[in-house]
Amino acid sequence: MTTSTILVADDDHGIRTVLSQALGRAGYDVRTTGNAATLWRWVSDGEGDLVITDVVMPDESGLDLIPRIKKIRPDMRIIVMSAQNTLLTAVKATERGAFEYLPKPFDLTELVNVVKRALSLPKSPGARTTTEVAEEERLPLIGRSPAMQEIYRTLARLMNTDLTVMINGESGTGKELVARALHDYGKRRNGPFVAVNMAAIPRELIESELFGHEKGAFTGAHARAQGRFEQAEGGTLFLDEIGDMPPEAQTRLLRVLQEGEYTTVGGRTPIRANVRIVAATHRDLSQLIRQGLFREDLFYRLNVVPIRLPPLRERAEDIAELASHFLTIASEEGLPPKALDPAAMDRLKRHRWPGNVRELENLMRRLAALYSQEVLGVEVIELELASATSAPAAPAGTDGEGLSDMVERHLRDYFSAHADGLPPPGLYDRILREIERPLLALTLESTRGNQIRAAQVLGLNRNTLRKKIRDLDISVVRGMK
Ligand SMILES: Nc1ncnc2c1ncn2[C@@H]1O[C@H](COP(=O)(O)OP(=O)(O)OP(=O)(O)O)[C@@H](O)[C@H]1O
Ligand SMILES: [Mg+2]
């Protein structure tokens, strides 16, 4: 076997040396240069099997070189490394045909693995050439923490695919924003993006909401109505709060995903589904599965590519950039421009952020609206954080909270989420079911599926329990721990 030659371009001498040693040890021939012109000369002379290039170089951007290299050497594998670790860099690198994007600093073992993988792959037909993302375009996602960079890399890899994605993360971590980025930078970007929130639709209307209904399919169906699947045709369907999907709808959705077609409520002709599914939840689905509240088979269908959005407190290094970003937006919306002094910024980094990025966003907007001084100090932050955590809706400090307090807090949030209107009808039953289901499921779990003992524990008539298990579609596993 002939030895592969790797061309390395980076204006940092130290990095060139380190890469050269590591790749040399792995058995490759390595040539290094500090500028794009030399790299270009080597490539056009037909040298090298793989290129590793930095983005910022004295003469030309490594990113701009990619399409030119691909044009004359379509088979050349290109790995881009960059310290400009934004979503845009990752997306651009992939869009222009890079095999992999590595945010600096990276692990040398990882680099060697990527090189091996790139060289072992069959020669690719060349990446898609698409319209460039405008240089000055506002990035949808802010933050350069390692956790966010990992997410950008995943997003970049998913760009040319239709793979189903499951986004998990606490409330306010940016799940919807990521779902939109998947769509906006993906191959379906010219199609519609349709979001549907499973927690907000009365359970008896979910099927018609998703799949549509025919005229007269049920009382009140005065005309044929399109479902979300149909609206999202050719685009992306975002199933938000998928953990709140009622069991019957889960079964129905699973069938649609398996068969690739659906029928409207009251309709007979199957319709081919042409949507890319992105799902999200703040809940722990594996726990819901154990409790019998979420179908395991549906979970595996949806969890093809899992993306976990870390809570803000796990990426405090992003806080400063996010805070400035939100202050800029506030001033663009007409509020007076504001800045934070270093102590104030420090205080923000130490906060726990139970409401994550959304909480930070709201705080910045509040600061811009309420305070007259242009540079805000730590006292202001202390004041605002203190008043925010004592508000009844704040989910902080739930220790020692009673069930009824928790329910009240939840309902308060729920009502305030519909500030401009009322929640959809059927609230009473919906809420009672939410409580009944874990109550019954956990009791059954602790009696190892023994329904007679569960009925005793609950103080329910056995037939009543059996009926409720059926109605709530709770799966009873005998002997289950
Ligand atoms: N990385 C980020 N950069 C910039 N803005 C962000 C980022 N993450 C979240 N946001 C902003 O924070 C707010 C909350 O984000 P989003 O609605 O996507 O969260 P979510 O995870 O869907 O929350 P929930 O579970 O409550 O629905 C939005 O206004 C969003 O624009
Ligand atoms: Mg959301």
Side-chain angles (χ1 to χ4, degrees):
M1 214 182 92
T2 56
T3 315
S4 301
T5 303
I6 297 171
L7 310 176
V8 176
D10 194 309
D11 63 345
D12 183 327
H13 178 76
I15 290 186
R16 290 203 299 275
T17 314
V18 171
L19 291 195
S20 176
Q21 285 168 353
L23 293 164
R25 271 199 303 276
Y28 299 107
D29 284 341
V30 186
R31 301 188 69 177
T32 66
T33 170
N35 59 69
T38 313
L39 175 64
W40 176 244
R41 188 159 45 75
W42 289 340
V43 170
S44 39
D45 287 348
E47 290 181 43
D49 303 289
L50 182 144
V51 164
I52 302 178
T53 179
D54 190 16
V55 171
V56 181
M57 283 183 288
D59 48 347
E60 194 180 350
S61 151
L63 287 179
D64 294 339
L65 217 50
I66 304 176
R68 288 170 51 202
I69 297 178
K70 283 279 166 187
K71 204 158 172 193
I72 57 164
R73 307 263 314 264
D75 287 334
M76 181 67 93
R77 313 296 160 63
I78 305 170
I79 295 169
V80 174
M81 44 185 182
S82 172
Q84 290 183 313
N85 300 318
T86 66
L87 175 60
L88 196 58
T89 324
V91 165
K92 268 191 178 170
T94 317
E95 205 168 50
R96 294 180 183 186
F99 172 81
E100 181 62 285
Y101 162 78
L102 292 174
K104 284 182 183 175
F106 48 78
D107 190 46
L108 285 173
T109 327
E110 187 187 3
L111 174 75
V112 172
N113 286 339
V114 170
V115 167
K116 274 192 200 142
R117 203 148 45 79
L119 289 170
S120 68
L121 247 81
K123 308 215 162 192
S124 72
R128 199 174 56 119
T129 52
T130 40
T131 47
E132 287 177 12
V133 184
E135 193 75 55
E136 51 293 318
E137 186 184 348
R138 162 80 55 74
L139 292 169
L141 288 157
I142 307 281
R144 295 166 194 230
S145 57
M148 287 309 287
Q149 286 173 33
E150 193 51 48
I151 284 163
Y152 301 154
R153 289 176 66 191
T154 308
L155 292 181
R157 284 198 201 107
L158 288 171
M159 255 184 25
N160 297 322
T161 77
D162 257 347
L163 294 175
T164 303
V165 177
M166 170 73 88
I167 308 167
N168 199 266
E170 287 180 13
S171 179
T173 45
K175 296 186 291 295
E176 178 148 6
L177 206 57
V178 165
R180 278 186 190 274
L182 276 167
H183 175 79
D184 292 343
Y185 292 93
K187 59 180 189 179
R188 289 173 171 258
R189 59 175 158 278
N190 295 322
F193 176 88
V194 175
V196 38
N197 185 335
M198 294 303 161
I201 309 167
R203 54 170 45 223
E204 61 281 7
L205 292 184
I206 283 200
E207 289 201 12
S208 116
E209 177 90 20
L210 287 179
F211 308 113
H213 62 251
E214 300 302 319
K215 182 176 176 182
F218 47 85
T219 333
H222 300 301
R224 180 181 192 276
Q226 268 195 347
R228 303 302 188 137
F229 266 81
E230 198 174 334
Q231 287 168 355
E233 163 80 23
T236 304
L237 181 61
F238 176 46
L239 301 175
D240 202 0
E241 303 300 356
I242 188 89
D244 295 273
M245 200 173 196
E248 317 86 75
Q250 289 179 29
T251 308
R252 186 80 202 278
L253 176 64
L254 176 68
R255 219 163 45 229
V256 173
L257 298 181
Q258 283 166 341
E259 287 160 14
E261 49 183 41
Y262 61 94
T263 49
T264 60
V265 175
R268 285 217 185 80
T269 334
I271 306 170
R272 272 225 77 69
N274 173 17
V275 298
R276 192 257 183 100
I277 304 271
V278 177
T281 181
H282 67 281
R283 289 170 186 267
D284 177 357
L285 286 181
S286 48
Q287 192 189 343
L288 293 184
I289 292 171
R290 277 198 304 279
Q291 294 174 354
L293 302 176
F294 200 83
R295 294 187 64 125
E296 191 168 16
D297 40 11
L298 178 60
F299 172 74
Y300 286 116
R301 277 268 160 191
L302 294 172
N303 202 46
V304 180
V305 182
I307 294 183
R308 177 185 173 267
L309 284 180
L312 190 55
R313 62 185 164 280
E314 282 177 21
R315 46 181 163 116
E317 58 276 49
D318 289 342
I319 290 174
E321 200 182 341
L322 281 164
S324 313
H325 167 74
F326 292 130
L327 287 175
T328 308
I329 292 189
S331 79
E332 281 167 8
E333 288 172 359
L335 292 167
K338 292 274 177 284
L340 301 168
D341 75 13
M345 206 57 110
D346 242 40
R347 179 64 189 86
L348 292 183
K349 288 183 190 155
R350 281 185 285 115
H351 184 57
R352 271 188 54 76
W353 301 111
N356 293 295
V357 184
R358 182 180 295 112
E359 185 186 356
L360 178 63
E361 180 177 8
N362 292 342
L363 175 63
M364 291 305 119
R365 189 159 285 141
R366 215 156 61 229
L367 294 178
L370 297 182
Y371 292 86
S372 55
Q373 61 269 46
E374 201 167 308
V375 178
L376 301 168
V378 66
E379 341 62 63
V380 170
I381 305 290
E382 290 290 3
L383 201 68
E384 286 296 323
L385 287 179
S387 67
T389 41
S390 59
T398 52
D399 302 344
E401 182 185 49
L403 179 61
S404 146
D405 298 329
M406 208 170 80
V407 173
E408 181 177 336
R409 182 167 51 78
H410 179 94
L411 290 175
R412 246 184 232 291
D413 286 352
Y414 184 70
F415 277 103
S416 59
H418 294 86
D420 45 348
L422 286 171
L427 183 61
Y428 189 81
D429 279 346
R430 258 195 336 274
I431 297 296
L432 289 193
R433 270 168 180 260
E434 291 246 358
I435 296 173
E436 267 189 318
R437 202 160 331 140
L439 176 62
L440 300 195
L442 287 175
T443 309
L444 283 161
E445 195 180 306
S446 61
T447 63
R448 298 172 181 247
N450 184 323
Q451 297 188 20
I452 299 175
R453 290 191 40 212
Q456 280 165 355
V457 172
L458 289 162
L460 278 180
N461 175 298
R462 241 182 287 159
N463 290 327
T464 312
L465 177 62
R466 215 166 281 139
K467 179 167 182 316
K468 284 191 182 294
I469 290 172
R470 226 181 14 249
D471 290 351
L472 295 166
D473 201 10
I474 295 172
S475 56
V476 182
V477 185
R478 291 206 63 104
M480 176 170 84
K481 166 53 226 126

